[in-house]
Amino acid sequence: YSFEFRKGWGRVPITFDKPLTLTAWMAIRGYTNKSFAEAVGAEASTVANWKQGRYLPSGRFIHKIEVALDTKYTNIIFGSQEL
């Protein structure tokens, strides 16, 4: 899959052949735990748990995560989970 990396200096197309971790997606999109939590309506501690793979987001967060990260849920690895 591919996406455009958007930062202040412009857009750069990037292509990946495997999903990325939530941590990587958040870094690409410029999120901290707190800002990502605010974007998806969760607690920062919940985001930390998702990143560590302690548990997966519930259904009510999936669409919000996809919108915030501008990618499909299936392109995201939570913790050390393998897809």
Side-chain angles (χ1 to χ4, degrees):
Y1 60 94
S2 63
F3 69 93
E4 288 185 344
F5 180 73
R6 297 181 303 264
K7 206 61 175 171
W9 42 266
R11 295 173 178 237
V12 177
I14 299 174
T15 302
F16 294 96
D17 61 351
K18 294 189 178 200
L20 301 175
T21 63
L22 177 59
T23 301
W25 278 113
M26 287 173 56
I28 288 167
R29 299 296 187 218
Y31 285 112
T32 63
N33 281 13
K34 182 179 178 184
S35 64
F36 185 69
E38 290 170 357
V40 300
E43 297 292 327
S45 60
T46 299
V47 172
N49 284 326
W50 294 340
K51 288 170 65 175
Q52 294 171 7
R54 288 193 182 121
Y55 56 88
L56 297 174
S58 63
R60 69 186 178 112
F61 291 109
I62 292 174
H63 179 71
K64 293 176 182 180
I65 290 169
E66 289 178 327
V67 170
L69 298 177
D70 193 25
T71 193
K72 293 184 180 191
Y73 184 78
T74 55
N75 293 334
I76 306 167
I77 297 171
F78 295 90
S80 60
Q81 163 192 334
E82 294 292 328
L83 297 178

